[in-house]
Amino acid sequence: MLPFKLVYSDAYYLPIGDHVFPAQKYGRIRERLIASGVAEADDFLEPEPASDQDILLVHKPEYVHKLTSGTLSPREEMEMEIPYSRDLVEAFWLAAGGSILAARRCLTDGVSISIGGGFHHAFPDHGEGFCMIHDVAVAIRRLQQDHAIRTAMTLDCDVHQGNGTAVIFAGNRSVSVPQPSVSGLRQTHTRPGRMRGGHAGDVFTISLHQHNNYPLWKPPSSIDVDLPDGMGDDDYLAWLDNALHTGLRQFKPDLLCYVAGADPYKEDQLGGLNLTIDGMKKRDELVFQVAHAERIPVMVTFAGGYAMSLEDTMTIHCNTVVAAKEMFTGAVSS
Ligand SMILES: [Zn+2]
């Protein structure tokens, strides 16, 4: 039995047909977690879909109406890069409900992981990059409205920049300024990464991503770390450590939302970084160590992952659960 809850529903599956986004991964991850003994059936909670009111805490009424009435323009549907259907709308409302549930549960258990979600390319008025609804933003706004939290930090480690997150939580942020680097940080053999940052409102956003990748326009997060092509484990982990501690020196959140994309992996079809499976697990361990040490509840979503082998994508996501188990089981028994 895990000392925290996993949030999952069979209806997380996205009905998008044969697509580079492997929507079957959610169910397969659940199966593997149980088969490998990492989790038991009782560790999983089934979410309810978010309500339209929840969705409207983040998204514009006109956009929500287009989604619920099936009146997106062909251009809007093309930009989303997944085929619109009524069932797909329901799957995204459910993903948002799953993130709300995970965010609530982590406040009592220290951590909670939704085996889905992380749709960080959804904007208030449109969807793009396989993302219709920004489930993480909906969860943050819902918990704020419930007075369960006042502030939150998003930590986006998907290989693609969290453009929707940046825009949703931009608030009255000032222009980005370069952040000082931690001395002794090893630079890559090619070109150093770059960290930019600015003032945040009630939600502090951090994104570590490959610079030369989608989205072309990267609206400023509170901290953006633009990583060069081909960065490997050690440099990536150093930048992550730097960015997370820089953020936490400036901002103490009531909730950490970790977007644990599997696509920084070296064999990802849509990514150009060079992390190993072991490095990806160290990434998760670092995030959980810091959250635990700082006593910040952490909710996790899975976001992207397009490895040549679906088995690798599943291993990376399952390892996120293993890393949380190792960290938080020790915490309970000590
Ligand atoms: Zn991605």
Side-chain angles (χ1 to χ4, degrees), residues 50-51 54-59 96-97 100 133-143 169:
S51 69
D54 297 335
I55 300 294
L56 287 164
L57 294 172
V58 169
H59 294 281
I100 292 170
I133 290 294
H134 200 308
D135 54 292
V136 176
V138 169
I140 290 170
R141 290 304 189 212
R142 174 62 194 268
L143 264 67
F169 297 118

Side-chain angles (χ1 to χ4, degrees), residues 145-277:
Q145 205 183 47
D146 294 346
H147 302 291
I149 60 166
R150 201 171 52 79
T151 59
M153 176 180 280
T154 61
L155 175 62
D156 192 335
C157 291
D158 190 277
V159 81
H160 303 102
Q161 196 240 7
N163 54 352
T165 321
V167 163
I168 289 167
F169 297 118
N172 46 12
R173 185 174 302 140
S174 60
V175 175
S176 288
V177 291
Q179 296 281 329
S181 291
V182 169
S183 61
L185 185 64
R186 290 209 301 121
Q187 304 291 7
T188 57
H189 52 281
T190 47
R191 185 163 72 73
R194 192 163 55 104
M195 185 150 80
R196 301 175 270 124
H199 172 74
D202 58 353
V203 179
F204 194 100
T205 55
I206 302 176
S207 178
L208 268 85
H209 48 265
Q210 183 190 3
H211 179 66
N212 293 322
N213 204 326
Y214 167 88
L216 188 60
W217 176 59
K218 296 175 177 64
S221 312
S222 307
I223 293 177
D224 282 295
V225 184
D226 299 318
L227 303 173
D229 300 352
M231 182 174 271
D233 293 343
D234 291 348
D235 290 323
Y236 183 94
L237 293 169
W239 277 108
L240 172 60
D241 189 60
N242 187 354
L244 187 50
H245 284 103
T246 300
L248 290 173
R249 275 197 296 275
Q250 299 174 43
F251 191 87
K252 295 290 174 208
D254 299 327
L255 169 71
L256 180 64
C257 300
Y258 174 37
V259 178
D263 47 13
Y265 176 49
K266 61 180 181 166
E267 287 178 33
D268 196 90
Q269 300 173 84
L270 302 185
L273 296 184
N274 204 26
L275 274 72
T276 64
I277 286 182

Side-chain angles (χ1 to χ4, degrees), residues 14 16 19-26 28-29 115-121 129-131 156-160 213-214 259-272 275 277 280 283 301-318 320:
L14 303 176
I16 52 177
H19 194 281
V20 67
F21 189 100
Q24 69 274 32
K25 74 178 181 179
Y26 305 132
R28 298 274 302 276
I29 290 165
I115 309 296
F119 297 111
H120 58 159
H121 302 310
F130 318 152
C131 301
D156 192 335
C157 291
D158 190 277
V159 81
H160 303 102
N213 204 326
Y214 167 88
V259 178
D263 47 13
Y265 176 49
K266 61 180 181 166
E267 287 178 33
D268 196 90
Q269 300 173 84
L270 302 185
L275 274 72
I277 286 182
M280 298 288 293
R283 172 196 75 165
T301 51
F302 277 174
Y306 317 92
M308 307 287 254
S309 152
L310 178 59
E311 295 297 314
D312 287 351
T313 296
M314 286 164 44
T315 299
I316 291 164
H317 286 314
C318 288
T320 303

Side-chain angles (χ1 to χ4, degrees), residues 50-82:
S51 69
D52 289 358
Q53 292 318 111
D54 297 335
I55 300 294
L56 287 164
L57 294 172
V58 169
H59 294 281
K60 300 274 188 218
E62 299 78 18
Y63 176 52
V64 174
H65 177 73
K66 283 180 190 174
L67 293 175
T68 54
S69 61
T71 51
L72 288 175
S73 70
R75 186 199 158 98
E76 287 169 322
E77 191 178 334
M78 202 171 67
E79 204 173 14
M80 211 155 59
E81 297 186 274
I82 41 177

